[in-house]
Amino acid sequence: MRSESIAHILRILRENDTFLVTSHARPDGDAIGSALGFQHLLEGLGKSVTVAFADPIPSMYHCLPGVHRIVHQMPQHPPEVAIVLECDSIERTGFARIDAGMILNIDHHQSGRTFGHVNWIDPEACAVGAMVYDLAVASSVNITPSMASCLYTAVLTDTGSFTYASTGAETFGLAEHLLERGADANGIAQSIYFSNPASKLRVLGTALTNLEIDDEIAWTFVSRTEMDAAGAIAEDCEGIVNHLISIAGIRAAVFLRELPVGDCFRLNLRSKGSVDVAEVAERFGGGGHRNASGCTVDGSLAEVVPRMLNELRSACRSGCATLIA
């Protein structure tokens, strides 16, 4: 099935000339690295490609080759093929619509949906960047240092620096090959992990001050007022939830960030082992992976927290039942 999907997609890439590549709103390392890696792949095939994101690119990814060419609106002339990466719908891109002769949907989330004309969904893949890598290898296109750096970033960030359950021996083999092809591992690490603005540390401090522990669940939040006081923006909150799930004895964690619209929160969920937070996120209109997911929920903090904690308690109980079975 996987080899058939790759062969089918390669035929589409070779038979068409103009492409759009996009991914989800609030882009992360996998979305950006995969999209730019795909750009390098398509250009290696001699194609015309535009990479578009509805939202700004976080500063930590400004080091990636080709990032300066990303645009934030749809191209004036519809492409023959639009490639949508790790989204469960067109709406998830943040664009109202995508005009193209064909929609190619590539995803690795277990919550992935077949909304495209052609769909390749592989929940076993550690990152969409790994799927783009497989396409690059199968295409025989030269994996340049630029492409390798983009795909390495995708894999590094979406495996939680090679710590998530999706990380396997093949993941390290992929990373090794990308390093051999010239991926700038040190430069990428410096940009992503060691170039934090002071505002990110301030908002982390606020979040840790607000920390609450409910048995096996850790949760915290930051309000709009606290975000403003820290001088923080949305990207400064990336990774806060990982501090919560790192606590000994905690099996599920959630970080809530109040959105500017008011009475609405963006939730990042993490879990350990068999606790499935993807199912929890899906109940609130979100999705993701078993151990890393997200969603946006309307309501006040006093309304949202009890609802989320109830769902997470249920997920923890289900996870225990799975282990016993």
Side-chain angles (χ1 to χ4, degrees), residues 76 161 164 169 177 210 242 265 317:
Q76 184 176 359
S161 302
Y164 293 165
H177 186 219
N210 293 340
N242 295 328
F265 287 83
R317 289 194 296 269

Side-chain angles (χ1 to χ4, degrees), residues 237-261:
C237 295
E238 185 173 334
I240 287 178
V241 70
N242 295 328
H243 292 273
L244 277 59
I245 198 62
S246 72
I247 300 171
I250 294 300
R251 300 180 65 216
V254 57
F255 167 66
L256 304 92
R257 174 174 60 87
E258 188 177 19
L259 298 181
V261 294

Side-chain angles (χ1 to χ4, degrees), residues 1-171:
M1 179 66 178
R2 175 176 167 274
S3 60
E4 292 175 1
S5 296
I6 290 173
H8 186 192
I9 291 170
L10 285 180
R11 283 197 298 273
I12 293 170
L13 301 187
R14 290 188 172 114
E15 291 171 359
N16 293 276
D17 295 312
T18 59
F19 294 83
L20 166 74
V21 182
T22 189
S23 188
H24 55 78
R26 299 182 300 276
D28 58 11
D30 194 17
I32 300 162
S34 297
L36 291 174
F38 224 130
Q39 177 186 59
H40 295 299
L41 166 58
L42 288 166
E43 291 180 341
L45 291 170
K47 309 300 180 178
S48 173
V49 54
T50 298
V51 176
F53 281 90
D55 288 336
I57 304 301
S59 59
M60 68 181 72
Y61 302 115
H62 287 182
C63 65
L64 293 182
V67 71
H68 63 284
R69 294 170 54 194
I70 292 175
V71 299
H72 300 287
Q73 65 282 322
M74 288 290 101
Q76 184 176 359
H77 301 291
E80 293 169 288
V81 180
I83 301 168
V84 182
L85 304 175
E86 60 166 12
C87 291
D88 58 13
S89 65
I90 295 297
E91 291 74 22
R92 182 75 175 89
T93 67
F95 292 112
R97 58 183 293 175
I98 295 178
D99 293 321
M102 176 188 293
I103 300 292
L104 173 53
N105 165 35
I106 300 177
D107 195 4
H108 76 128
H109 293 104
Q110 67 185 61
S111 56
R113 295 180 174 86
T114 55
F115 64 86
H117 297 102
V118 176
N119 304 275
W120 180 24
I121 301 174
D122 182 5
E124 298 301 315
C126 66
V128 167
M131 300 169 74
V132 179
Y133 167 82
D134 288 340
L135 286 170
V137 171
S139 73
S140 297
V141 164
N142 180 38
I143 298 178
T144 63
S146 292
M147 186 197 300
S149 289
C150 293
L151 296 182
Y152 179 84
T153 299
V155 172
L156 175 72
T157 56
D158 226 44
T159 59
S161 302
F162 306 106
T163 64
Y164 293 165
S166 59
T167 304
E170 68 282 0
T171 312

Side-chain angles (χ1 to χ4, degrees), residues 85-324:
L85 304 175
E86 60 166 12
C87 291
D88 58 13
S89 65
I90 295 297
E91 291 74 22
R92 182 75 175 89
T93 67
F95 292 112
R97 58 183 293 175
I98 295 178
D99 293 321
M102 176 188 293
I103 300 292
L104 173 53
N105 165 35
I106 300 177
D107 195 4
H108 76 128
H109 293 104
Q110 67 185 61
S111 56
R113 295 180 174 86
T114 55
F115 64 86
H117 297 102
V118 176
N119 304 275
W120 180 24
I121 301 174
D122 182 5
E124 298 301 315
C126 66
V128 167
M131 300 169 74
V132 179
Y133 167 82
D134 288 340
L135 286 170
V137 171
S139 73
S140 297
V141 164
N142 180 38
I143 298 178
T144 63
S146 292
M147 186 197 300
S149 289
C150 293
L151 296 182
Y152 179 84
T153 299
V155 172
L156 175 72
T157 56
D158 226 44
T159 59
S161 302
F162 306 106
T163 64
Y164 293 165
S166 59
T167 304
E170 68 282 0
T171 312
F172 289 104
L174 184 163
E176 179 184 21
H177 186 219
L178 292 174
L179 292 175
E180 290 173 348
R181 300 306 300 169
D184 182 12
N186 180 259
I188 292 165
Q190 289 294 323
S191 183
I192 294 175
Y193 301 118
F194 303 112
S195 300
N196 294 314
S199 55
K200 183 165 185 171
L201 277 296
R202 292 191 188 100
V203 78
L204 172 62
T206 298
L208 295 179
T209 298
N210 293 340
L211 173 67
E212 298 283 349
I213 294 179
D214 184 303
D215 194 16
E216 298 177 306
I217 301 167
W219 67 275
T220 192
F221 71 95
V222 291
S223 67
R224 285 175 294 161
T225 301
E226 288 169 329
M227 288 284 289
D228 291 342
I233 58 177
E235 68 180 78
D236 291 330
C237 295
E238 185 173 334
I240 287 178
V241 70
N242 295 328
H243 292 273
L244 277 59
I245 198 62
S246 72
I247 300 171
I250 294 300
R251 300 180 65 216
V254 57
F255 167 66
L256 304 92
R257 174 174 60 87
E258 188 177 19
L259 298 181
V261 294
D263 280 343
C264 186
F265 287 83
R266 177 65 190 173
L267 278 62
N268 296 114
L269 298 98
R270 295 291 185 271
S271 66
K272 295 173 182 172
S274 57
V275 179
D276 192 341
V277 291
E279 289 188 357
V280 173
E282 287 180 48
R283 294 191 189 103
F284 291 90
H289 304 290
R290 182 181 68 183
N291 299 124
S293 294
C295 55
T296 301
V297 184
D298 291 328
S300 66
L301 187 69
E303 294 167 335
V304 173
V305 169
R307 292 170 58 199
M308 181 55 60
L309 291 180
N310 284 337
E311 294 291 347
L312 288 175
R313 292 187 194 105
S314 177
C316 287
R317 289 194 296 269
S318 296
C320 286
T322 300
L323 288 175
I324 293 171

